[in-house]
Amino acid sequence: MVGVIVAGGRGTRLTEITKDEIPKPMAKMLGKPVLERAIENLKKYGVNEIYITVGHLHQVIQNYFGKGSKFGVSIKYVVENESMGSAGALYFIKNELTDDFVMCSGDVVFDVDIDRLVAFHKRKGALITLVTHPNAHPYDSDLVVADKNACVRSINKKNSERSDFYKNNVNAGLFVVNADALDFFTRPCKVNMEHDFVARYIPDGKVYCYKTTEYIKDVGTPERFASTEKDLNLGLVAQKNLRNKQKAVFLDRDGVVNKYKGFISSSEDIELLPNVAQAVKRLNDSGYLTIIVSNQPVIARGESSFAEVDKMFDKIETLLGLKGAYIDGYYYCPHHPDGGFDGEVKELKFDCECRKPKIGMLLKAAADYNLELTDCVIIGDSDSDVQTGMNAGVKTIRVLSGVDGRPRLQADHVADDLFGAVIYLLGE
């Protein structure tokens, strides 16, 4: 498979590290240029023919990598005499790209299971697949809006005004592109990858997003550069590759993340409990995935809709993102076993396998994220949550911030709230 790496930018935000003596992708992280790390990750999955688009101080890149033989790949260069944007240089190689290819930015550190990504791309019959992920700063990132089938409907530009709550589904700067999409390039000109090239095919329903929890981070600022270097040193970058077994903290929603108010039927009633964002951020930095699992019988009872419940979770994602935290995913059960009530949705009234304390939601998450359930933890405020953990064989932590009542089941640990539970779990 062929790879294309965009490495022509000037990188003005990183000049305190580059001193404008080397291009941004050549900044060394733990003794190795960022660009070299990208090449290594691509090569690991059989991407051994690579085009690198270069511009500012391009000789530094060309002198270091040469034709790629020392790195086990074949490298060709596209030299931009003037900036072509993040995709314009594809015009010069479009006749050489005849199949699906992987494309990424040279200033992004990532460790992604490319085989899994490409399989998704082919399964969807996509013309272009964008890799997306939740991050700690969605308010200043491009947000990808997709339907339930992962078909992209729009891309909301970073720093644009957002009047509603949103999913933390951020463009990660990694793509799989089918060569047929290159008909877009008819002349040499400056082209933005997302807002010109990708946007052209969104109305056709041919663009999909592959949301992943794997490590992908733009290191274009000194702060992000230092953070990523720390993560590399701790082994978190490689650990999060989905070829490896993952561990997660499952969170109940109401009484743990959201203030307990009984049955909630409207997003207006979503209110984060104190210190929840700080707790979730600690989990984000720890290597644990953070996944909400919640019973939502208000849908079956006819008191709320799927759309409104989704909006509730969007609000949680938005509020967390504003404080530098994110959840990796959420699952909810819309069913209820008892029928015979006014306004109920009869087709959702049955004894399902996903309603806690059954473990269907945890099993679905385990399949989606390659979880080792015995390494996972559930944090909840009720006997149902504790029983779910027992049924799934995961560690249980009960918090006292939710439902009243005298618990019948003993959890492995009891904490005042989510923050206290996370401090205990992480040994802080």
Side-chain angles (χ1 to χ4, degrees), residues 314-365:
D314 289 352
K315 184 174 182 179
I316 289 172
E317 293 202 60
T318 302
L319 295 176
L320 287 174
L322 291 172
K323 294 187 177 182
Y326 57 87
I327 58 171
D328 292 288
Y330 63 83
Y331 298 82
Y332 62 81
C333 169
H335 309 114
H336 193 272
D338 303 324
F341 300 94
D342 290 341
E344 68 183 16
V345 181
K346 294 188 183 299
E347 58 267 29
L348 297 177
K349 286 284 189 173
F350 62 92
D351 188 12
C352 65
E353 293 301 316
C354 53
R355 180 177 168 83
K356 293 182 295 182
K358 293 184 179 179
I359 63 173
M361 288 188 284
L362 276 63
L363 293 177
K364 180 68 166 63

Side-chain angles (χ1 to χ4, degrees), residues 6 78 97 99 142 187 205 209 218 268 311 340 363 401 418:
V6 180
V78 181
L97 301 169
D99 202 348
D142 282 354
R187 60 187 178 86
C209 68
D218 168 4
E268 294 180 0
K311 189 175 180 180
L363 293 177
S401 52
L418 180 58

Side-chain angles (χ1 to χ4, degrees), residues 110-160:
F110 64 95
D111 196 327
V112 171
D113 185 345
I114 301 294
D115 290 342
R116 186 174 175 135
L117 164 61
V118 172
F120 170 91
H121 172 80
K122 291 183 180 296
R123 188 166 64 250
K124 293 294 185 181
L127 200 58
I128 303 173
T129 295
L130 294 78
V131 176
T132 61
H133 62 163
N135 76 8
H137 50 97
Y139 47 83
D140 70 352
S141 303
D142 282 354
L143 289 177
V144 178
V145 180
D147 63 20
K148 295 287 187 181
N149 194 39
C151 185
V152 175
R153 297 307 182 190
S154 64
I155 300 177
N156 292 346
K157 292 183 180 181
K158 63 181 179 180
N159 299 320
S160 60

